Amino acid sequence: MSKQGFCAQSLLEWYDHNRRDLPWRAKKDEKPNPYYVLLSEIMLQQTQVVTVIPYFYRFIEHFPTINILADADRDTVMSLWTGLGYYSRARNLHRCAQEIMRKNGEVPDTVKELKALSGVGNYTAAAIASIAFNVPVVPIDGNVERLTARLFTIDAELPKAKKYLDEKAGHLNDDLIAKQRAGDFSQALFDVGATVCKPKNPSCLSCPLSKQCLGYKKGIAETLPRKVVKSSRPVRYGIAFFIQDREGRILFRKRPAKGLLGGTLELPGTQWDLKPISLDNAKESVGVKGLFEDKGCIKHVFTHFVLKLRLYKRIEKIDLSFRDRDELWYSFDDIQFLPFSSLMKKLVQLGFD
């Protein structure tokens, strides 16, 4: 490898023949749609491509342009995001579109301006700038860090090695051709990382960078990058209540705008704690009365913990005359149009079973 880092020519040649066909990606010789790039990159934060694709199609069907997204009701945006997780991204995406429309209605074309938008950090700004506007910058995500660690046999453990890895990765585009084809170069890095230089069982024999990869030559590519072994996720417990009125509508409440599942609707329930809570204490805590049937437990895995949420269904339905005007009552059919998390959808389904 040269002092520059590595030769980009072989990577770009590979990309020209093996590029993934993705709905937000411009066809060969077409100009990228900056709105599509921004939308996809925010969706792809901590989420795999295969998961994002149907959500991307759904969003561009409802919000074909950024001004339509900016004018949309936030609850509608949240409802279309349901199931994709990390709901702060949906709120930030909506604010981001509004911020762009308050300026000139065009997605910014510099990393600095992009980073000033809600929900757009260093990586996302670099990805949008390079792919949408051919800005010669390397977007550094986990794929690019892994590829860099293997290319240069950087065996220091993550996360301590991240700063050094990112410095090395930032020079992967030192070749002139990489700068001239900045968008293609970034996407080539993503595609190799996702389909060839995979975390486990990398396809080194078919990798366009194998001749330059020190990790492959030393036979240790699959062991890189080295990571500190994570401890197991803690388990949290809670109780949720399924309560219907005489017309079959279900009682919900809205979660705070900030925080986990922020802004989505949920069944009334307790906080999620490290110790289980009794039904009597849960009823007192939430402020519900009546006889309840145990419908079972839902296990849901979040990034940092596992949730075990037990559902209780009120045996008798509530008369509408006693309904508080601040309570939220929706039918099962309403759920598809409102901001519900996949966790709450599972609980509602359990309540009807």
Side-chain angles (χ1 to χ4, degrees), residues 159-196:
K160 290 183 179 179
K162 180 174 174 58
K163 183 178 179 180
Y164 180 62
L165 270 174
D166 290 358
E167 288 175 356
K168 294 289 285 187
H171 288 282
L172 291 176
N173 68 340
D174 280 355
D175 276 2
L176 180 60
I177 190 172
K179 294 184 183 297
Q180 291 173 334
R181 297 181 59 185
D184 287 345
F185 181 74
S186 293
Q187 293 173 106
L189 288 174
F190 300 158
D191 283 9
V192 166
T195 65
V196 181

mmCIF file of all heavy atoms in Angstrom, residues 159-196:
data_model
loop_
_atom_site.group_PDB
_atom_site.id
_atom_site.type_symbol
_atom_site.label_atom_id
_atom_site.label_comp_id
_atom_site.label_asym_id
_atom_site.label_seq_id
_atom_site.Cartn_x
_atom_site.Cartn_y
_atom_site.Cartn_z
ATOM 1 N N PRO A 159 -13.840 0.474 22.046
ATOM 2 C CA PRO A 159 -13.916 1.791 21.390
ATOM 3 C C PRO A 159 -12.653 2.645 21.515
ATOM 4 O O PRO A 159 -12.598 3.723 20.940
ATOM 5 C CB PRO A 159 -15.084 2.452 22.121
ATOM 6 C CG PRO A 159 -15.030 1.880 23.493
ATOM 7 C CD PRO A 159 -14.575 0.456 23.335
ATOM 8 N N LYS A 160 -11.634 2.160 22.255
ATOM 9 C CA LYS A 160 -10.428 2.973 22.425
ATOM 10 C C LYS A 160 -9.744 3.276 21.093
ATOM 11 O O LYS A 160 -9.144 4.337 20.926
ATOM 12 C CB LYS A 160 -9.459 2.267 23.375
ATOM 13 C CG LYS A 160 -9.912 2.225 24.830
ATOM 14 C CD LYS A 160 -8.857 1.582 25.712
ATOM 15 C CE LYS A 160 -9.287 1.570 27.170
ATOM 16 N NZ LYS A 160 -8.275 0.926 28.048
ATOM 17 N N ALA A 161 -9.826 2.349 20.161
ATOM 18 C CA ALA A 161 -9.128 2.516 18.889
ATOM 19 C C ALA A 161 -9.896 3.385 17.897
ATOM 20 O O ALA A 161 -9.390 3.672 16.813
ATOM 21 C CB ALA A 161 -8.866 1.146 18.267
ATOM 22 N N LYS A 162 -11.086 3.811 18.252
ATOM 23 C CA LYS A 162 -11.952 4.498 17.300
ATOM 24 C C LYS A 162 -11.310 5.769 16.731
ATOM 25 O O LYS A 162 -11.358 6.001 15.526
ATOM 26 C CB LYS A 162 -13.289 4.844 17.956
ATOM 27 C CG LYS A 162 -14.254 5.553 17.021
ATOM 28 C CD LYS A 162 -15.612 5.752 17.670
ATOM 29 C CE LYS A 162 -16.521 6.590 16.791
ATOM 30 N NZ LYS A 162 -16.731 6.002 15.452
ATOM 31 N N LYS A 163 -10.688 6.572 17.579
ATOM 32 C CA LYS A 163 -10.090 7.821 17.103
ATOM 33 C C LYS A 163 -9.002 7.548 16.059
ATOM 34 O O LYS A 163 -8.968 8.185 15.005
ATOM 35 C CB LYS A 163 -9.505 8.612 18.275
ATOM 36 C CG LYS A 163 -8.931 9.961 17.863
ATOM 37 C CD LYS A 163 -8.414 10.732 19.074
ATOM 38 C CE LYS A 163 -7.822 12.072 18.651
ATOM 39 N NZ LYS A 163 -7.308 12.851 19.812
ATOM 40 N N TYR A 164 -8.144 6.584 16.349
ATOM 41 C CA TYR A 164 -7.073 6.257 15.401
ATOM 42 C C TYR A 164 -7.643 5.648 14.126
ATOM 43 O O TYR A 164 -7.215 5.975 13.010
ATOM 44 C CB TYR A 164 -6.082 5.290 16.048
ATOM 45 C CG TYR A 164 -4.946 4.890 15.137
ATOM 46 C CD1 TYR A 164 -4.051 5.844 14.649
ATOM 47 C CD2 TYR A 164 -4.775 3.565 14.761
ATOM 48 C CE1 TYR A 164 -3.012 5.485 13.806
ATOM 49 C CE2 TYR A 164 -3.738 3.191 13.919
ATOM 50 C CZ TYR A 164 -2.861 4.149 13.446
ATOM 51 O OH TYR A 164 -1.841 3.790 12.606
ATOM 52 N N LEU A 165 -8.630 4.760 14.266
ATOM 53 C CA LEU A 165 -9.273 4.156 13.098
ATOM 54 C C LEU A 165 -9.891 5.222 12.203
ATOM 55 O O LEU A 165 -9.758 5.179 10.975
ATOM 56 C CB LEU A 165 -10.351 3.171 13.536
ATOM 57 C CG LEU A 165 -9.953 1.719 13.760
ATOM 58 C CD1 LEU A 165 -11.136 0.939 14.325
ATOM 59 C CD2 LEU A 165 -9.476 1.079 12.474
ATOM 60 N N ASP A 166 -10.570 6.168 12.820
ATOM 61 C CA ASP A 166 -11.246 7.214 12.051
ATOM 62 C C ASP A 166 -10.242 8.110 11.332
ATOM 63 O O ASP A 166 -10.498 8.587 10.219
ATOM 64 C CB ASP A 166 -12.155 8.044 12.950
ATOM 65 C CG ASP A 166 -13.376 7.253 13.422
ATOM 66 O OD1 ASP A 166 -13.522 6.080 13.019
ATOM 67 O OD2 ASP A 166 -14.182 7.805 14.197
ATOM 68 N N GLU A 167 -9.087 8.347 11.965
ATOM 69 C CA GLU A 167 -8.048 9.139 11.306
ATOM 70 C C GLU A 167 -7.530 8.427 10.064
ATOM 71 O O GLU A 167 -7.338 9.037 9.014
ATOM 72 C CB GLU A 167 -6.897 9.405 12.279
ATOM 73 C CG GLU A 167 -7.243 10.419 13.374
ATOM 74 C CD GLU A 167 -6.123 10.572 14.392
ATOM 75 O OE1 GLU A 167 -5.119 9.826 14.281
ATOM 76 O OE2 GLU A 167 -6.251 11.417 15.292
ATOM 77 N N LYS A 168 -7.288 7.106 10.186
ATOM 78 C CA LYS A 168 -6.820 6.325 9.037
ATOM 79 C C LYS A 168 -7.898 6.265 7.952
ATOM 80 O O LYS A 168 -7.609 6.415 6.763
ATOM 81 C CB LYS A 168 -6.452 4.917 9.478
ATOM 82 C CG LYS A 168 -5.249 4.834 10.409
ATOM 83 C CD LYS A 168 -3.950 5.143 9.677
ATOM 84 C CE LYS A 168 -3.493 4.006 8.804
ATOM 85 N NZ LYS A 168 -2.148 4.254 8.221
ATOM 86 N N ALA A 169 -9.141 6.033 8.379
ATOM 87 C CA ALA A 169 -10.236 5.928 7.416
ATOM 88 C C ALA A 169 -10.442 7.233 6.656
ATOM 89 O O ALA A 169 -10.799 7.222 5.471
ATOM 90 C CB ALA A 169 -11.519 5.531 8.132
ATOM 91 N N GLY A 170 -10.191 8.361 7.311
ATOM 92 C CA GLY A 170 -10.363 9.658 6.678
ATOM 93 C C GLY A 170 -9.430 9.896 5.505
ATOM 94 O O GLY A 170 -9.647 10.814 4.711
ATOM 95 N N HIS A 171 -8.388 9.060 5.394
ATOM 96 C CA HIS A 171 -7.431 9.195 4.275
ATOM 97 C C HIS A 171 -7.608 8.112 3.223
ATOM 98 O O HIS A 171 -6.787 8.009 2.305
ATOM 99 C CB HIS A 171 -5.998 9.159 4.814
ATOM 100 C CG HIS A 171 -5.612 10.402 5.563
ATOM 101 N ND1 HIS A 171 -5.269 11.584 4.929
ATOM 102 C CD2 HIS A 171 -5.540 10.655 6.896
ATOM 103 C CE1 HIS A 171 -4.985 12.509 5.836
ATOM 104 N NE2 HIS A 171 -5.147 11.972 7.036
ATOM 105 N N LEU A 172 -8.668 7.330 3.321
ATOM 106 C CA LEU A 172 -8.898 6.301 2.310
ATOM 107 C C LEU A 172 -9.152 6.889 0.930
ATOM 108 O O LEU A 172 -8.949 6.237 -0.086
ATOM 109 C CB LEU A 172 -10.085 5.416 2.715
ATOM 110 C CG LEU A 172 -9.873 4.497 3.916
ATOM 111 C CD1 LEU A 172 -11.162 3.761 4.256
ATOM 112 C CD2 LEU A 172 -8.750 3.486 3.654
ATOM 113 N N ASN A 173 -9.575 8.141 0.883
ATOM 114 C CA ASN A 173 -9.877 8.777 -0.406
ATOM 115 C C ASN A 173 -8.754 9.686 -0.886
ATOM 116 O O ASN A 173 -8.982 10.621 -1.655
ATOM 117 C CB ASN A 173 -11.182 9.565 -0.317
ATOM 118 C CG ASN A 173 -11.063 10.791 0.580
ATOM 119 O OD1 ASN A 173 -10.151 10.864 1.410
ATOM 120 N ND2 ASN A 173 -11.975 11.746 0.428
ATOM 121 N N ASP A 174 -7.522 9.409 -0.446
ATOM 122 C CA ASP A 174 -6.400 10.264 -0.851
ATOM 123 C C ASP A 174 -6.115 10.184 -2.345
ATOM 124 O O ASP A 174 -5.569 11.114 -2.928
ATOM 125 C CB ASP A 174 -5.133 9.914 -0.069
ATOM 126 C CG ASP A 174 -5.133 10.529 1.332
ATOM 127 O OD1 ASP A 174 -6.065 11.299 1.638
ATOM 128 O OD2 ASP A 174 -4.213 10.225 2.112
ATOM 129 N N ASP A 175 -6.467 9.057 -2.970
ATOM 130 C CA ASP A 175 -6.285 8.950 -4.424
ATOM 131 C C ASP A 175 -7.169 9.973 -5.138
ATOM 132 O O ASP A 175 -8.313 10.216 -4.734
ATOM 133 C CB ASP A 175 -6.671 7.553 -4.915
ATOM 134 C CG ASP A 175 -5.540 6.560 -4.771
ATOM 135 O OD1 ASP A 175 -4.467 6.942 -4.264
ATOM 136 O OD2 ASP A 175 -5.727 5.397 -5.170
ATOM 137 N N LEU A 176 -6.659 10.534 -6.230
ATOM 138 C CA LEU A 176 -7.411 11.549 -6.976
ATOM 139 C C LEU A 176 -8.733 11.002 -7.483
ATOM 140 O O LEU A 176 -9.766 11.684 -7.431
ATOM 141 C CB LEU A 176 -6.571 12.065 -8.147
ATOM 142 C CG LEU A 176 -7.239 13.138 -9.023
ATOM 143 C CD1 LEU A 176 -7.588 14.363 -8.184
ATOM 144 C CD2 LEU A 176 -6.319 13.512 -10.186
ATOM 145 N N ILE A 177 -8.734 9.757 -7.959
ATOM 146 C CA ILE A 177 -9.967 9.198 -8.517
ATOM 147 C C ILE A 177 -11.049 9.063 -7.446
ATOM 148 O O ILE A 177 -12.240 9.206 -7.722
ATOM 149 C CB ILE A 177 -9.699 7.836 -9.204
ATOM 150 C CG1 ILE A 177 -10.952 7.402 -9.982
ATOM 151 C CG2 ILE A 177 -9.291 6.772 -8.191
ATOM 152 C CD1 ILE A 177 -10.734 6.174 -10.845
ATOM 153 N N ALA A 178 -10.626 8.812 -6.215
ATOM 154 C CA ALA A 178 -11.595 8.721 -5.115
ATOM 155 C C ALA A 178 -12.234 10.073 -4.845
ATOM 156 O O ALA A 178 -13.422 10.155 -4.514
ATOM 157 C CB ALA A 178 -10.915 8.199 -3.859
ATOM 158 N N LYS A 179 -11.470 11.128 -4.967
ATOM 159 C CA LYS A 179 -12.006 12.471 -4.761
ATOM 160 C C LYS A 179 -12.908 12.876 -5.931
ATOM 161 O O LYS A 179 -13.929 13.541 -5.740
ATOM 162 C CB LYS A 179 -10.871 13.476 -4.595
ATOM 163 C CG LYS A 179 -10.042 13.250 -3.328
ATOM 164 C CD LYS A 179 -8.999 14.333 -3.167
ATOM 165 C CE LYS A 179 -8.113 14.068 -1.943
ATOM 166 N NZ LYS A 179 -8.890 14.083 -0.683
ATOM 167 N N GLN A 180 -12.527 12.492 -7.138
ATOM 168 C CA GLN A 180 -13.325 12.848 -8.310
ATOM 169 C C GLN A 180 -14.670 12.132 -8.305
ATOM 170 O O GLN A 180 -15.668 12.674 -8.767
ATOM 171 C CB GLN A 180 -12.551 12.507 -9.588
ATOM 172 C CG GLN A 180 -11.330 13.381 -9.823
ATOM 173 C CD GLN A 180 -10.496 12.921 -10.992
ATOM 174 O OE1 GLN A 180 -10.508 11.724 -11.357
ATOM 175 N NE2 GLN A 180 -9.766 13.833 -11.609
ATOM 176 N N ARG A 181 -14.688 10.896 -7.787
ATOM 177 C CA ARG A 181 -15.927 10.107 -7.725
ATOM 178 C C ARG A 181 -16.304 9.893 -6.249
ATOM 179 O O ARG A 181 -16.499 8.782 -5.795
ATOM 180 C CB ARG A 181 -15.739 8.768 -8.433
ATOM 181 C CG ARG A 181 -15.446 8.871 -9.921
ATOM 182 C CD ARG A 181 -15.309 7.478 -10.542
ATOM 183 N NE ARG A 181 -16.524 6.681 -10.358
ATOM 184 C CZ ARG A 181 -16.627 5.396 -10.713
ATOM 185 N NH1 ARG A 181 -15.571 4.762 -11.238
ATOM 186 N NH2 ARG A 181 -17.750 4.731 -10.527
ATOM 187 N N ALA A 182 -16.419 10.989 -5.541
ATOM 188 C CA ALA A 182 -16.604 10.910 -4.086
ATOM 189 C C ALA A 182 -17.853 10.121 -3.695
ATOM 190 O O ALA A 182 -17.828 9.306 -2.764
ATOM 191 C CB ALA A 182 -16.664 12.317 -3.493
ATOM 192 N N GLY A 183 -18.974 10.376 -4.371
ATOM 193 C CA GLY A 183 -20.204 9.667 -4.036
ATOM 194 C C GLY A 183 -20.095 8.177 -4.295
ATOM 195 O O GLY A 183 -20.492 7.354 -3.460
ATOM 196 N N ASP A 184 -19.558 7.816 -5.456
ATOM 197 C CA ASP A 184 -19.364 6.402 -5.777
ATOM 198 C C ASP A 184 -18.390 5.752 -4.807
ATOM 199 O O ASP A 184 -18.582 4.591 -4.405
ATOM 200 C CB ASP A 184 -18.836 6.250 -7.207
ATOM 201 C CG ASP A 184 -19.885 6.524 -8.265
ATOM 202 O OD1 ASP A 184 -21.087 6.551 -7.915
ATOM 203 O OD2 ASP A 184 -19.518 6.721 -9.443
ATOM 204 N N PHE A 185 -17.355 6.484 -4.432
ATOM 205 C CA PHE A 185 -16.352 5.924 -3.519
ATOM 206 C C PHE A 185 -16.976 5.611 -2.155
ATOM 207 O O PHE A 185 -16.751 4.528 -1.602
ATOM 208 C CB PHE A 185 -15.189 6.906 -3.357
ATOM 209 C CG PHE A 185 -14.096 6.394 -2.462
ATOM 210 C CD1 PHE A 185 -13.222 5.411 -2.904
ATOM 211 C CD2 PHE A 185 -13.949 6.882 -1.175
ATOM 212 C CE1 PHE A 185 -12.215 4.926 -2.074
ATOM 213 C CE2 PHE A 185 -12.959 6.396 -0.341
ATOM 214 C CZ PHE A 185 -12.087 5.421 -0.798
ATOM 215 N N SER A 186 -17.766 6.535 -1.632
ATOM 216 C CA SER A 186 -18.412 6.292 -0.340
ATOM 217 C C SER A 186 -19.328 5.079 -0.410
ATOM 218 O O SER A 186 -19.316 4.201 0.460
ATOM 219 C CB SER A 186 -19.218 7.523 0.084
ATOM 220 O OG SER A 186 -18.371 8.613 0.359
ATOM 221 N N GLN A 187 -20.133 5.012 -1.465
ATOM 222 C CA GLN A 187 -21.066 3.906 -1.603
ATOM 223 C C GLN A 187 -20.350 2.585 -1.876
ATOM 224 O O GLN A 187 -20.820 1.516 -1.465
ATOM 225 C CB GLN A 187 -22.085 4.225 -2.693
ATOM 226 C CG GLN A 187 -22.994 5.384 -2.296
ATOM 227 C CD GLN A 187 -23.911 5.852 -3.411
ATOM 228 O OE1 GLN A 187 -25.109 5.587 -3.381
ATOM 229 N NE2 GLN A 187 -23.359 6.540 -4.391
ATOM 230 N N ALA A 188 -19.198 2.652 -2.529
ATOM 231 C CA ALA A 188 -18.395 1.440 -2.744
ATOM 232 C C ALA A 188 -17.884 0.904 -1.408
ATOM 233 O O ALA A 188 -17.885 -0.314 -1.172
ATOM 234 C CB ALA A 188 -17.223 1.751 -3.682
ATOM 235 N N LEU A 189 -17.442 1.803 -0.537
ATOM 236 C CA LEU A 189 -17.009 1.386 0.802
ATOM 237 C C LEU A 189 -18.154 0.713 1.550
ATOM 238 O O LEU A 189 -17.980 -0.341 2.171
ATOM 239 C CB LEU A 189 -16.509 2.591 1.598
ATOM 240 C CG LEU A 189 -15.172 3.210 1.191
ATOM 241 C CD1 LEU A 189 -14.913 4.478 2.012
ATOM 242 C CD2 LEU A 189 -14.026 2.231 1.388
ATOM 243 N N PHE A 190 -19.347 1.325 1.481
ATOM 244 C CA PHE A 190 -20.505 0.754 2.170
ATOM 245 C C PHE A 190 -20.823 -0.639 1.628
ATOM 246 O O PHE A 190 -21.100 -1.568 2.391
ATOM 247 C CB PHE A 190 -21.743 1.646 1.990
ATOM 248 C CG PHE A 190 -21.599 3.039 2.529
ATOM 249 C CD1 PHE A 190 -22.406 4.060 2.059
ATOM 250 C CD2 PHE A 190 -20.666 3.339 3.506
ATOM 251 C CE1 PHE A 190 -22.294 5.345 2.554
ATOM 252 C CE2 PHE A 190 -20.540 4.623 4.017
ATOM 253 C CZ PHE A 190 -21.362 5.623 3.528
ATOM 254 N N ASP A 191 -20.802 -0.775 0.294
ATOM 255 C CA ASP A 191 -21.197 -2.040 -0.319
ATOM 256 C C ASP A 191 -20.198 -3.150 -0.026
ATOM 257 O O ASP A 191 -20.592 -4.291 0.240
ATOM 258 C CB ASP A 191 -21.352 -1.863 -1.830
ATOM 259 C CG ASP A 191 -22.657 -1.156 -2.195
ATOM 260 O OD1 ASP A 191 -23.336 -0.666 -1.275
ATOM 261 O OD2 ASP A 191 -22.997 -1.097 -3.395
ATOM 262 N N VAL A 192 -18.910 -2.840 -0.085
ATOM 263 C CA VAL A 192 -17.908 -3.851 0.248
ATOM 264 C C VAL A 192 -18.042 -4.265 1.707
ATOM 265 O O VAL A 192 -17.992 -5.454 2.042
ATOM 266 C CB VAL A 192 -16.478 -3.330 -0.041
ATOM 267 C CG1 VAL A 192 -15.432 -4.219 0.617
ATOM 268 C CG2 VAL A 192 -16.230 -3.303 -1.543
ATOM 269 N N GLY A 193 -18.224 -3.276 2.581
ATOM 270 C CA GLY A 193 -18.364 -3.592 3.994
ATOM 271 C C GLY A 193 -19.591 -4.421 4.296
ATOM 272 O O GLY A 193 -19.572 -5.299 5.159
ATOM 273 N N ALA A 194 -20.676 -4.170 3.587
ATOM 274 C CA ALA A 194 -21.940 -4.859 3.859
ATOM 275 C C ALA A 194 -22.025 -6.229 3.214
ATOM 276 O O ALA A 194 -22.678 -7.133 3.757
ATOM 277 C CB ALA A 194 -23.113 -4.002 3.385
ATOM 278 N N THR A 195 -21.377 -6.415 2.058
ATOM 279 C CA THR A 195 -21.567 -7.658 1.304
ATOM 280 C C THR A 195 -20.324 -8.538 1.197
ATOM 281 O O THR A 195 -20.449 -9.725 0.911
ATOM 282 C CB THR A 195 -22.050 -7.339 -0.122
ATOM 283 O OG1 THR A 195 -21.017 -6.628 -0.844
ATOM 284 C CG2 THR A 195 -23.310 -6.480 -0.095
ATOM 285 N N VAL A 196 -19.142 -7.976 1.427
ATOM 286 C CA VAL A 196 -17.901 -8.738 1.260
ATOM 287 C C VAL A 196 -17.093 -8.767 2.549
ATOM 288 O O VAL A 196 -16.823 -9.836 3.114
ATOM 289 C CB VAL A 196 -17.038 -8.165 0.107
ATOM 290 C CG1 VAL A 196 -15.760 -8.986 -0.052
ATOM 291 C CG2 VAL A 196 -17.829 -8.143 -1.197
#
